[in-house]
Amino acid sequence: MKKTRRILALLLAAMLTVSAAGCGSTSAPASSAPESSAAQPSEPASESEPAQEEVPEEPAYTSLDDFVLFDKDGQTLRTGRDATGEQGIVSTSKYEASKIGRQIIEEGGNAIDAAVAAAFALGLVEPNSSGIGGGGFMTLYLAETGETQFIDFRECAPAAATPDMWVMGDDGKVVGNEMMEGGKSIGVPGEVAGMLYILENYGTMTRQQVLQPTIDLARKGVTVTPTLANDMMDSFDKMMKYPEFGETFLREDGLPYGVGEIFQNPDYASTLELIAEQGADGFYKGPLAEAIVAANNKYDGLMTMEDLANYQVKVTEPVKGTYRGYEILSSPPPSSGGTIVIEILNILENFDLPGMEPNSAEELHLFSEAFKLAYADRAKYMGDPKYVDVPLAGLMNKEYAKTLAAQIDVEKAAETVEANDPWPYEHVETTHYSIADKEGNMVSVTKTVNGIFGSGVCVDGYGFMLNNEMGDFDFGPDKPNSIAGGKVPLSSMSPTVVLKDGKPAFVLGSPGATTIISTVAQVISKVIDHGMTMQEAVDAPRIKGFKDNKIDYETRIDQAVIDKLVEMGHICNPLEEWNRSFGSVQAVLYGEDGVLQGAADPRRDGKALGY
């Protein structure tokens, strides 16, 4: 019965989506609209009555303004994602969040103010990927002092979490999928604490100023894009399993929203009003905290009020490396992202990539081999440094990279790769957005609720999802990434700032789980090695893969190149021309003429806006 209900709901939602897209409709669901008077019998018009002039219809409301993201058939368009600006650029994964961030800069705020506003906006317009029930990392460059900070607001394990909290079934999987959904998948959220910390310490505006645009938009409504509509439809079963999820994110008639329809979230607006008034205490203490714990525990979770009250933002320095004269600053542990990006670039620096054709077989082969070597080290050594020793300096050492580069056969793919030993050299990373302003402040933020709509657990009456970040831990004890109370799970998030001669060059990052690392490395190389514009580098087709000698690739790569890679021993798996799994880079580059270039990834809904 449940399966039949789901099939019928999805079929009806699909038909409504096609209908709405075909008509260019962005109206609310038809079931909530008033009955049309055209459906009622009418008296014939009197011959003496004057002819009525036709009044043009008001265009239907859309939160996308004049940005055309999808066509009349609901298909995503891949153009028009970049922007330029003299005062600042905001490049996020959603138009509305970029618009709100730009508004903050227009009103006199700096890049940090805009970053905080964009974060809370993304929780409304992209709840499938991030939100205040999750966490993340920020790499921040402050122009006035030249200081770079790494802000860790990643989720952590509840104090009661242990390696044996999940049960493994005979099929080798966790019973009940408890790693990925329900209460035991939920880590203590850090986003609210992190964003308010940076606002208070580096911003210039009040909480009310940065939150009000999103409060207003939550009540007015946002246009459902193809990406969001697909994720809502794919999550329908989970919405049935966790009713609070469905009550917030399904239409009044119990069906998923279609492309072009308007989704309103007044509960989220009220939550932001509470945070604007009370700050972090409004989230981590009091009624909202009690609702978070109740939602978690209803579905067998372990979180307590003490876990929330004890959450702390951590401020450290980013990891630092160089690549062909550029300085790379990115995420340190507990993210593996920055370290492994730098290790990959160090390996590639031993080869003449600038002399190769972009995306040639020769170049892609080197990327693939570098990925294998660096990711093997990631699996063996990386974890939360509070719990395990990480040979950080060794992994990023140039001489160590030379030993790895020497293992690469430029004519043949290595079938198996083992982790190497960086210890002798020890002495010497969802959604992403990037913001930069004319003063040179750069903000790179990667944040997430982990899986699509996180754990499936929605905080009743508050309009946001809780993460399933516990699924990033390894199953079982005695591993660098095993569960412990208060521990932060390993991540690949790689929010990155790049300097040239001590001055801002560009800022970037991406979502995409383990693919984040390879995506960021490829885009950096495209800009530095091949002189591409930032949008060209973001648009360029990508590869991914680091084990079993397999490469996934976007089919815009020339088939002759793929044939050559196969001859070299690679197992090549075609995906689509533009594939969401290859990440979604948002970036800003400082042009030599002083104009900022914003780029946004057409693989999802990204849009850069300039001022």
Side-chain angles (χ1 to χ4, degrees), residues 316-330:
T316 59
E317 292 187 359
V319 293
K320 299 179 181 180
T322 62
Y323 184 64
R324 305 194 199 279
Y326 287 79
E327 187 175 4
I328 314 296
L329 304 104
S330 193

Side-chain angles (χ1 to χ4, degrees), residues 224-371:
V224 175
T225 66
T227 301
L228 181 55
N230 288 337
D231 284 352
M232 286 176 162
M233 192 170 294
D234 289 344
S235 301
F236 187 78
D237 276 350
K238 195 181 288 188
M239 293 184 188
M240 297 296 99
K241 185 174 182 179
Y242 302 97
E244 299 85 0
F245 180 13
E247 287 170 10
T248 298
F249 291 98
L250 289 174
R251 301 184 332 189
E252 290 183 2
D253 59 5
L255 296 176
Y257 284 86
V259 176
E261 293 182 338
I262 302 302
F263 166 65
Q264 297 169 314
N265 194 341
D267 287 344
Y268 186 69
S270 298
T271 299
L272 295 193
E273 287 176 331
L274 179 64
I275 293 170
E277 180 182 347
Q278 299 183 12
D281 282 353
F283 186 88
Y284 292 93
K285 300 175 182 179
L288 176 48
E290 291 172 356
I292 293 172
V293 171
N296 181 281
N297 293 343
K298 178 179 178 179
Y299 298 105
D300 301 321
L302 304 172
M303 196 181 302
T304 66
M305 292 290 287
E306 288 75 21
D307 288 322
L308 288 166
N310 293 335
Y311 184 86
Q312 294 290 323
V313 176
K314 293 166 281 295
V315 182
T316 59
E317 292 187 359
V319 293
K320 299 179 181 180
T322 62
Y323 184 64
R324 305 194 199 279
Y326 287 79
E327 187 175 4
I328 314 296
L329 304 104
S330 193
S331 52
S335 175
S336 66
T339 303
I340 305 303
V341 166
I342 290 171
E343 182 177 356
I344 290 169
L345 294 173
N346 283 343
I347 295 170
L348 294 173
E349 201 170 35
N350 292 278
F351 301 93
D352 183 23
L353 267 65
M356 301 177 187
E357 284 293 319
N359 278 341
S360 62
E362 183 182 23
E363 182 181 72
L364 294 180
H365 170 70
L366 292 174
F367 268 108
S368 176
E369 300 304 288
F371 294 164

Side-chain angles (χ1 to χ4, degrees), residues 19 62 111 156 165 173 315 415 436 510 544 552:
S19 175
T62 170
C156 64
M165 62 185 278
K173 298 179 180 179
V315 182
E415 293 186 6
S510 176
K544 65 175 183 175
D552 291 337

